[in-house]
Amino acid sequence: MYVARVPNRGSPPAILLRESYREDGKVRNRTLANLSRWPEDKVAALQAVLKGLPPKVSLEDSFEIARSLGHGHVAAVLGAVRNLGLEELFDPVSSRPRDLVTAMVVAQVIDPSSKLAFARGLRMKTATSSLGEVLCLTGADANDCYEAMDWLLSRQERIEDALAARHLKGGTLVLYDVSSAAFEGRTCPLGAIGHAKDGVHGRLQIVYGLLTSKEGVPVAIEVFKGNTGDPKTVASQVKKVKERFSISHVCIVGDRGMLTKARLRDDVVPAELDYITALRSPEIKALVEQGTIQLGLFDEQDLFEIAHPDYEGERLVCCKNPLLAEERARKRQSLLAATEAELGKIAAACRRERRPLRGKDAIALRVGKVINHYKVAKHFNLEIGETSLGLSRKEDQIAAEATLDGIYVLRTSLSGEALEGPEVVSSYKALANVERAFRSFNTDLDIRPIRHRTEERVRAHVFLRMLSYYVSFHMERQLAPMLFRDDDKQAAEAARTSQVAPAQRSAGALRKVATKHTEAGDPVHSFQSLLKDLATIAANRVQPNDAGLPAFTVITTPTPLQRRAFELLGTSHRLGYA
């Protein structure tokens, strides 16, 4: 058989399927079918078959990509969750609530959103990532998420106890600090007006206190009413550390606004906890005026220890940071100059000929706005009259304050054998790790907005953010060679001349910042930009056009940079589809 094309004058040629045969010793042909209505590609495929050639099949016509879902970032974060054993901490037995909590923790790392948006992202028709498919949650809705939050909250204490056992050992340092987050709505009893630490003023807020290890690993978090003062949160933390975590010897580290004299006396000391905190400026000034702190000693060293009867049983570690002194002097002069300039405008308004400023009350009101803004009124002599404003600097007072620039004093109940002076300083500076966590809560993990109406849901919301930070904290440490992070802390510490001096970055970290490339030549990423890069690894749902063949999933082949990321994380880009 063969395909013949028979000319047809002015019309297209006839395409015929013919067969050759012999009759009476002669070769004859007969037409088996008229193929003139066939498309050209179908005719060409038949010709190839008749010639014994493999058919030319177009792959584009044989398959179609039914759906592509971002998968690489899901595989990376979910792999980290499982390597950390978080699912087993939630509950040793697999269940739908556990999978939903896991999914919410992963989602907050890769794409923080509301619970409604999260549930929408799980459904196959509206999903943009493979998270719902990998965890078999494509049918979940917002109500399922809320029920899973309630399920998680009932296990919070047990999970925190397990984290404490993992990261806090006997004879360890526990860092504690407090922050706030603006609150949406007015129905939750936790929402109240208070001191806004997140910069959002005039809104209801909540206050939350975070306990971490010295390295900054989050261990426990607690939510308080929005108008709760920092010192009032300490008692519950002391009870948590002493009774729930059952740690034999603990030193709690907190700033001077947290561990006040009253908190140390009423909560920390009775619980037999050691502590490291700092003195306030008036207390330091009093020690200098008494001669207990001799400023001349700082000419030879930046750290020394003293004792004082007012701090019985404690060590006072006195430090001076020259760079901090320069910064405080610069800031003071800037504030003084700005205040002087604004007050000068008010004085000029009193002297102008046209509509001069008159009245002692009116002038004082204008002056009050300025000094309340810059907060350096104590350094000025102000004389407010009915028609004038006189001002001058208190140069002696300014000079006296300047002598204390860069000086800070740490107080601790630990003995010198337990912790030497430089280690006391490094332990106090470790509070920066907690502050780093708060910055992550307010940026990458988006603790705001908080739209939950009940106290329990708000607590669960904040606890979820802590768990997400726990995951991202460990991922960033593992991925440090690829990120704008210092992955050689030992070299950085070795280059540091003193614990009082500012922290140094290693040569490798400085090289990454300067060249924007790693030693392997790959572009350096932030954690979030690396996750976006990993998200380009897609789970492609391939649907054959042949109804007899089943659909299947093909995972995008990772680039060398992406392979390196998964190697550092110790997981596979095919997680969930292996």
Side-chain angles (χ1 to χ4, degrees), residues 479 481-482 520 522 559-570:
L479 295 169
M482 305 180 67
D522 296 322
T559 65
L561 183 143
Q562 292 168 338
R563 286 189 185 279
R564 174 62 175 158
F566 281 103
E567 288 173 2
L568 291 174
L569 291 172

Side-chain angles (χ1 to χ4, degrees), residues 339-350 352 357 366 389:
T339 304
E340 204 166 38
E342 293 299 320
L343 292 177
K345 293 178 183 179
I346 300 174
C350 296
R352 66 192 175 200
L357 181 61
R366 292 273 296 272
L389 170 63

Side-chain angles (χ1 to χ4, degrees), residues 11 127 206 432-433 455 474 520-521 524:
S11 301
I206 59 169
N433 293 328
E455 180 176 335
H474 286 89
V524 184

Side-chain angles (χ1 to χ4, degrees), residues 433-450:
N433 293 328
V434 188
E435 295 170 359
R436 187 178 298 114
F438 290 148
R439 286 196 298 273
S440 181
F441 276 32
N442 290 324
T443 54
D444 298 337
L445 299 179
D446 283 350
I447 194 170
R448 301 187 307 260
I450 304 173

Side-chain angles (χ1 to χ4, degrees), residues 285-438:
K285 183 179 179 181
L287 292 174
V288 172
E289 291 175 347
Q290 295 168 12
T292 307
I293 297 179
Q294 300 180 23
L295 298 181
L297 293 175
F298 287 120
D299 296 335
E300 302 175 359
Q301 53 191 335
D302 58 7
L303 182 152
F304 58 86
E305 295 187 25
I306 62 173
H308 193 274
D310 292 347
Y311 304 93
E312 186 178 356
E314 296 183 4
R315 297 158 57 209
L316 300 181
V317 182
C318 306
C319 310
K320 184 172 183 178
N321 185 336
L323 294 181
L324 179 61
E326 292 176 6
E327 175 61 20
R328 286 184 175 174
R330 183 202 63 77
K331 186 175 181 180
R332 182 188 301 106
Q333 290 302 321
S334 176
L335 291 173
L336 289 173
T339 304
E340 204 166 38
E342 293 299 320
L343 292 177
K345 293 178 183 179
I346 300 174
C350 296
R351 296 190 301 267
R352 66 192 175 200
E353 295 182 2
R354 185 180 178 183
R355 299 180 63 186
L357 181 61
R358 291 290 182 264
K360 196 171 184 178
D361 291 342
I363 297 173
L365 184 62
R366 292 273 296 272
V367 170
K369 290 181 179 179
V370 173
I371 62 178
N372 287 335
H373 179 71
Y374 294 107
K375 303 185 186 304
V376 287
K378 62 183 179 180
H379 293 318
F380 286 94
N381 292 309
L382 299 176
E383 297 179 3
I384 302 176
E386 290 293 333
T387 61
S388 64
L389 170 63
L391 68 147
S392 61
R393 292 190 182 187
K394 299 178 181 178
E395 297 295 350
D396 292 342
Q397 181 175 308
I398 295 172
E401 184 180 270
T403 60
L404 301 180
D405 286 347
I407 295 175
Y408 58 94
V409 179
L410 305 181
R411 58 186 297 194
T412 180
S413 60
L414 289 168
S415 65
E417 291 76 15
L419 207 65
E420 296 182 353
E423 294 175 312
V424 172
V425 177
S426 64
S427 299
Y428 186 77
K429 286 188 173 183
L431 281 173
N433 293 328
V434 188
E435 295 170 359
R436 187 178 298 114
F438 290 148

Side-chain angles (χ1 to χ4, degrees), residues 55 57 106 108 147 215 223 231 286 325 328 354 373 375 385 468 498 501:
V57 179
V106 173
Q108 288 305 321
E147 291 175 4
E215 294 75 24
V223 180
R328 286 184 175 174
R354 185 180 178 183
H373 179 71
K375 303 185 186 304
S468 297
S498 167

